[in-house]
Amino acid sequence: MSTLADRVYRGLLLVLPSDVRREFGDDMVQLFRDHRRAIGARPMRQAGLWFDAARDVLSQAADARRRPPDRFAPTRLRYPMSAFISDVRQSCRLVRRYPALSIVAIATLALGLGINTAIFSVVDAVLWRSLPYPDPQALMLVWEKRPTEGVMTNPVSAADYLDWRARNTVFEHTAAFFSTEVTLTGNGEPAEIGAGIVSWEFFAVLGVRPAHGRSFQLRDEEFGQGRVVILTHRIWTTRFNRDPQMIGRTISINSTPWTVIGVLPSDFVFVDPTLDFWAPLGLVGPGAAPSRVAHNFEVYARLKPGVSYAQALDAMDRLGRDLEAEHPDANRGHGAHVTPLQEHYVEPIRASLILLAAGVGLVLLIACVNVASLMLARAASRHREMAVRSALGASRGRLAAQTLVESLTLAGAGGVAGIGVAFVALRALPIVMPERLSIVGLDDLSIDPRMLFFAAILTVATGLLFGVIPALHASRPALAGVLNAGGRGPAGVRRRVRQALVVAEVAVASLALVGAGLVLRSFANLTSRPLGFTAEQRLTVMVSPPRARYPSAAAQRDLLNRVEARLASVPGVSAVGSVNLLPLTGFDSRTGIGIEGREPVPDEPPVRMHPRVVTPTYFQTMEIPILKGRQFADADAAGAEPVVIINETAAKRFLPGQDPIGRRVRFGGDETWRTIVGVAGDVRHWGLLRPVNPTLYWPHAQAN
């Protein structure tokens, strides 16, 4: 039944040529009626519909009168800017006309595009950008290698480092490094601060100069030359309020005065972001010679100009062999190994990042298939509109272009929303990334031009990807069927297209699920490995007695005993124990061990173990089983018989088929024999993926 609105619209159609009205007038009225029903009785939407209808009819009238008589003949595809602008406006109207579908599509694309953009930023920073130091390709790490043990990146002894520094021919600067915790007093509440202890060339290796004051000098390494410290810009700002008179000022570290000689620039970054104090490593001077059996240091080096990595590797390998020949007792089986700094920190996670990028790429592909399905569903409801446009002379290319612009408009809206998703993801990703990647500046990732360019390219590619199938479908409207049915017959999406989309989505989703399942299975297998101790309901606290207040070993032992007693008296605490190096923290030490009655075997590496200093209740507190013998007791005091406990791996490796209880061992360079009184279960101190190393425990009361 014709309504007033239908009659008014028919009057508007009088501007069209008479032959066009006769052939398509009824279909256009029916299409207009369908649109009015779809938007409901909302005055503003109705007014907008009338405005759009009038503009479309006037545009079609002008085109029809300019078109040659054979208006159905194929024409060359032309797509002027005016047509593009018109299609963009039409796309915006469709967003308003189908709000639910548009919101779902935009949200789906925003998640896919945003996460992919964020992951691109991480991949770009970690895998493609250089380290934030001058000439970063020249930065190397030099390790002690033990090929017979399968170890290529072992910490270095002080004596070996000094020999490397004096005798190498390929490095411009070398520096030894280790980290520790110190207590800062004064200027507020006492605080535990991370400290980097380095040889004097450390900042020269990195190519970093203090923003204020000076760097370390060779004389700072000498014992008795005073205590000096360099501050990071962060602690200078937060703890000392950017005091301009900081250089030369004395601060209290571990209750000992230290003189501030420099402040690092604000853009300085290091692999361990918690280090705010930098102090010189005392290596030379009067006293005992540097140890060759205690391996505690990482060594950083900068190549000389014109020296390649291969040349450095070869030169240090030869130097390592020379030192092995000169010091056969301590360096048997040792060598020197060089790795590029960036490769060392990035290579272990390269595969994980690529896998992560592939995973989020599959998520975006699934999103594209979903949005393509939504676009086809919307196309099914617009079959009459496309048929009328085709009947009025629109070419297949023109219809496909209009649909592609609609897809690109949706993709553009999703891309803009995806920038917000990427911003949130960039704030969260550094939390879950390995801490050592702070050296590449993950904490400072932001929305920069590179990221925006990638997001724009990805948005356009995504719009074309999910828009191509709806565009092809829209370019082939079932004109005869629709018009013969009086504009009332539904034109469905082709069955094969729907089936292909479903198959594609199931295939991609299955691939993603298989990958996720394999990762979860690997994670489950990894977490099912026993740690060797109980981590649940265990709390830790760091105790660092300042030497100025507790100068002797006896005073430090007394302090630790009192701390343990106080903690044990807290309600709910069932056991308290102490160790100098907590499991899974990354801190470690290693030393040579002599076993009574076990003579060195030619071509066999020396006996080395990883020492741990513990209190008698440590094994009970951590629930580390004693497999044989006994655990430490209060009777194992300073004046009592020296005793140790070894782990199961040490017993199997160095005393196979023998009863280790009662055997005696001693540390390299120490004449004191210590009796093995127990064998403890293995602890995965180095992580779930690393093998258990030989470990030796000795009581805190007998530690030097």
Side-chain angles (χ1 to χ4, degrees):
M1 181 178 180
S2 179
T3 63
L4 177 62
D6 293 343
R7 292 193 292 274
V8 172
Y9 184 74
R10 283 189 182 276
L12 183 62
L13 296 181
L14 292 175
V15 300
L16 294 172
S18 58
D19 58 339
V20 173
R21 291 198 308 273
R22 284 193 302 272
E23 191 167 357
F24 306 114
D26 292 341
D27 298 299
M28 296 178 71
V29 170
Q30 181 61 43
L31 183 63
F32 177 74
R33 185 182 300 153
D34 292 342
H35 286 174
R36 288 185 63 245
R37 290 172 181 168
I39 64 176
R42 286 173 283 187
M44 294 300 296
R45 300 291 295 275
Q46 289 282 348
L49 175 64
W50 279 103
F51 177 79
D52 293 339
R55 182 177 60 186
D56 289 344
V57 169
L58 293 175
S59 176
Q60 292 289 345
D63 289 344
R65 296 184 187 281
R66 289 196 300 266
R67 190 178 297 124
D70 186 11
R71 61 181 180 274
F72 298 108
T75 58
R76 183 170 56 90
L77 176 62
R78 292 178 298 170
Y79 194 53
M81 181 57 66
S82 59
F84 173 75
I85 295 174
S86 175
D87 286 345
V88 171
R89 291 173 178 170
Q90 170 69 7
S91 302
C92 295
R93 291 196 296 269
L94 288 174
V95 170
R96 296 195 303 269
R97 187 184 305 170
Y98 302 95
L101 182 147
S102 300
I103 290 173
V104 171
I106 292 172
T108 302
L109 293 172
L111 288 173
L113 291 170
I115 296 299
N116 274 270
T117 301
I119 295 301
F120 165 80
S121 298
V122 175
V123 172
D124 177 50
V126 175
L127 301 185
W128 299 331
R129 292 188 187 180
S130 299
L131 296 179
Y133 305 114
D135 193 16
Q137 293 77 18
L139 290 176
M140 301 287 148
L141 281 168
V142 190
W143 305 94
E144 174 195 291
K145 68 176 180 179
R146 297 170 180 170
T148 57
E149 302 176 41
V151 177
M152 300 298 288
T153 56
N154 197 70
V156 181
S157 69
D160 281 348
Y161 162 68
L162 290 174
D163 285 336
W164 292 352
R165 183 169 77 175
R167 298 166 60 174
N168 90 84
T169 59
V170 291
F171 296 127
E172 186 176 12
H173 302 287
T174 61
F177 160 88
F178 78 94
S179 61
T180 186
E181 294 278 337
V182 298
T183 302
L184 173 67
T185 55
N187 295 91
E189 292 294 323
E192 291 290 328
I193 307 294
I197 313 300
V198 297
S199 56
W200 75 275
E201 291 183 286
F202 180 77
F203 293 110
V205 169
L206 297 182
V208 175
R209 294 183 177 179
H212 307 281
R214 69 171 177 88
S215 189
F216 297 128
Q217 299 174 356
L218 178 59
R219 68 173 184 268
D220 295 325
E221 284 187 2
E222 299 178 12
F223 293 108
Q225 291 300 312
R227 297 180 175 89
V228 294
V229 64
I230 295 177
L231 308 179
T232 63
H233 188 275
R234 177 177 58 187
I235 200 166
W236 178 57
T237 301
T238 59
R239 186 81 180 194
F240 301 102
N241 300 316
R242 299 171 65 94
D243 183 359
Q245 306 300 322
M246 201 68 207
I247 305 302
R249 178 177 165 183
T250 299
I251 60 176
S252 178
I253 300 176
N254 289 345
S255 299
T256 303
W258 290 69
T259 302
V260 178
I261 62 170
V263 176
L264 294 171
S266 58
D267 59 353
F268 172 74
V269 293
F270 188 61
V271 62
D272 186 348
T274 66
L275 304 183
D276 282 318
F277 288 161
W278 295 87
L281 179 64
L283 289 173
V284 296
S291 172
R292 203 174 292 273
V293 295
H295 303 265
N296 305 314
F297 303 119
E298 294 179 9
V299 175
Y300 292 75
R302 177 174 287 273
L303 294 174
K304 289 181 177 180
V307 176
S308 68
Y309 165 64
Q311 290 172 322
L313 193 64
D314 179 66
M316 291 305 296
D317 185 62
R318 284 187 278 106
L319 180 54
R321 291 198 300 268
D322 292 343
L323 292 176
E324 181 181 10
E326 295 171 15
H327 307 280
D329 292 337
N331 280 39
R332 188 169 67 256
H334 287 200
H337 182 64
V338 182
T339 59
L341 182 64
Q342 182 154 5
E343 177 183 312
H344 176 75
Y345 289 117
V346 170
E347 196 61 33
I349 68 161
R350 181 185 299 274
S352 299
L353 274 182
I354 294 175
L355 181 63
L356 180 61
V360 297
L362 287 177
V363 171
L364 180 59
L365 190 57
I366 293 173
C368 289
V369 176
N370 281 329
V371 175
S373 299
L374 293 174
M375 294 287 289
L376 283 173
R378 188 173 72 179
S381 66
R382 297 176 61 204
H383 60 280
R384 188 178 293 111
E385 173 189 344
M386 292 300 178
V388 170
R389 288 178 183 272
S390 178
L392 290 175
S395 66
R396 290 178 55 186
R398 184 67 184 83
L399 294 177
Q402 177 186 336
T403 307
L404 275 179
V405 169
E406 294 169 3
S407 300
L408 290 172
T409 302
L410 274 182
V416 172
I419 296 298
V421 175
F423 178 80
V424 174
L426 287 179
R427 302 280 74 78
L429 280 173
I431 300 175
V432 299
M433 287 292 174
E435 186 178 68
R436 64 182 179 178
L437 286 183
S438 61
I439 196 171
V440 299
L442 288 186
D443 292 334
D444 299 324
L445 288 181
S446 60
I447 301 176
D448 57 14
R450 292 163 62 96
M451 175 179 171
L452 291 177
F453 178 76
F454 174 81
I457 295 298
L458 188 62
T459 296
V460 173
T462 300
L464 294 175
L465 182 61
F466 74 76
V468 64
I469 294 179
L472 291 175
H473 178 76
S475 68
R476 300 172 181 174
L479 184 61
V482 172
L483 297 183
N484 288 340
R488 303 175 186 275
V493 181
R494 293 177 182 176
R495 184 181 218 181
R496 291 183 180 178
V497 175
R498 293 198 309 269
Q499 291 176 341
L501 284 176
V502 171
V503 169
E505 182 166 6
V506 170
V508 175
S510 298
L511 181 61
L513 287 174
V514 169
L518 292 175
V519 171
L520 287 175
R521 181 178 178 182
S522 299
F523 179 75
N525 292 337
L526 186 63
T527 55
S528 64
R529 293 184 179 181
L531 291 171
F533 65 92
T534 302
E536 293 78 12
Q537 295 185 315
R538 266 62 179 179
L539 302 178
T540 62
V541 59
M542 298 294 294
V543 179
S544 300
R547 290 191 176 275
R549 188 171 179 183
Y550 304 94
S552 66
Q556 294 176 20
R557 286 194 294 267
D558 180 65
L559 171 64
L560 186 58
N561 291 336
R562 287 188 281 115
V563 169
E564 285 194 353
R566 290 285 298 273
L567 290 175
S569 66
V570 175
V573 175
S574 59
V576 177
S578 302
V579 64
N580 65 329
L581 299 172
L582 280 169
L584 305 179
T585 58
F587 296 107
D588 195 14
S589 65
R590 188 175 183 180
T591 188
I593 297 291
I595 301 178
E596 188 178 29
R598 187 181 189 274
E599 297 299 328
V601 178
D603 300 327
E604 183 182 62
V607 175
R608 295 183 179 89
M609 297 188 192
H610 298 254
R612 302 285 182 267
V613 179
V614 301
T615 56
T617 53
Y618 174 72
F619 297 102
Q620 174 189 349
T621 303
M622 298 292 282
E623 294 188 357
I624 300 173
I626 300 298
L627 306 179
K628 186 177 293 187
R630 66 173 178 88
Q631 61 182 3
F632 295 135
D634 293 337
D636 298 318
E641 178 189 5
V643 295
V644 295
I645 293 174
I646 62 175
N647 70 343
E648 186 178 12
T649 294
K652 290 180 178 179
R653 181 176 300 180
F654 302 125
L655 297 169
Q658 303 177 46
D659 185 0
I661 305 302
R663 298 293 294 271
R664 297 199 301 172
V665 300
R666 65 182 178 186
F667 297 109
D670 185 3
E671 297 301 323
T672 303
W673 287 101
R674 305 174 186 275
T675 303
I676 299 174
V677 297
V679 176
D682 287 338
V683 171
R684 292 190 175 274
H685 182 93
W686 300 265
L688 295 173
L689 293 176
R690 300 283 298 276
V692 176
N693 286 317
T695 305
L696 179 145
Y697 301 92
W698 50 319
H700 182 261
Q702 297 180 355
N704 296 329

